[in-house]
Amino acid sequence: NSATARILMHSFFRLLSVLPIGLLHFLGAVMGWVTFALSPTYRRRFVGNAKQAGYSFRQVRAAVGHAGRMVFEMPRIWLGSSLPHCTIVNGECVERVFAQGKGLVFLTPHIGCFELSVHAAAQRWAAQHGDITVLYRPARQAWLAKILETARNRPGVQAVPTTLAGVRQMIKTLRKGSAVGLLPDQVPPQGLGMWSPFFGREAYTMTLAARLALQTGA
């Protein structure tokens, strides 16, 4: 039943969260290639997107393994007692914005260390400039939604759902000179985005990031 499945998945995530990051990356790389081999749809989209961006598969094939690594390191970030090492580059850009008393909008697309970067930023700046408020879309699976509800609300980070109340909280955060974070490649609700050219194709794109900056001066 659903309760048993939730307990099993949570236990599995707990197990992954205590494994060394090197082992997680190895397992993730293997799973990335297994998924690529077994899913014709994923494989076709991967190769098609690379071609659309002007790359051959040979040039970007390492991304197959890295996608799996990213998935397998998430339980460690969500539930681990300590975060993997993260280096912030050009952090002085962030500090210049805070020194002006302005709010800051972090944009972190669904690729790379988007789950890790917010916690690393919170460790560096939240004590002085307030919690970072992040917008997220609750998972459809009940077991995963419960994990994310607790995992994303770490010290220095306040997670709010993709609702009108969540957006209001982000505006409030920016107006007091703190930071917010959102994933700009999420598909917005109908009527709340715009079609924009992206590598020669039209993509339905959120306008929330721009509207937050315009409305608050961030």
Side-chain angles (χ1 to χ4, degrees), residues 126-145:
Q128 185 177 358
H129 301 288
D131 290 357
I132 298 177
T133 301
V134 294
L135 191 69
Y136 78 101
R137 180 169 295 165
R140 294 178 181 176
Q141 298 89 348
W143 65 268
L144 183 56

Side-chain angles (χ1 to χ4, degrees), residues 137 162 187-193 204:
R137 180 169 295 165
T162 51
V187 180
Q190 194 64 34
L192 296 181
Y204 192 57

Side-chain angles (χ1 to χ4, degrees), residues 40 67 81 100 105 110 132 134 153 155 168 184 199 201 208 212:
S81 58
Q100 298 173 30
V105 181
H110 281 89
I132 298 177
V134 294
N153 284 290
R168 287 198 188 108
F199 286 95
R201 300 176 65 179
L208 177 60
L212 286 173

Side-chain angles (χ1 to χ4, degrees), residues 42 46 49-50 53 55 60 62-71 73-74 77 107-118 152 182-186 198-199:
Y42 174 58
F46 185 101
N49 287 339
Y55 293 98
V60 299
V64 175
H66 280 289
R69 290 180 176 186
M70 180 182 70
V71 172
E73 72 184 9
M74 284 182 182
I77 297 169
L107 303 180
T108 55
H110 281 89
I111 189 165
C113 57
F114 69 97
E115 287 283 358
L116 174 60
S117 59
V118 62
R152 284 182 168 153
L182 53 87
L183 297 152
D185 54 341
Q186 282 185 337
F198 187 71
F199 286 95

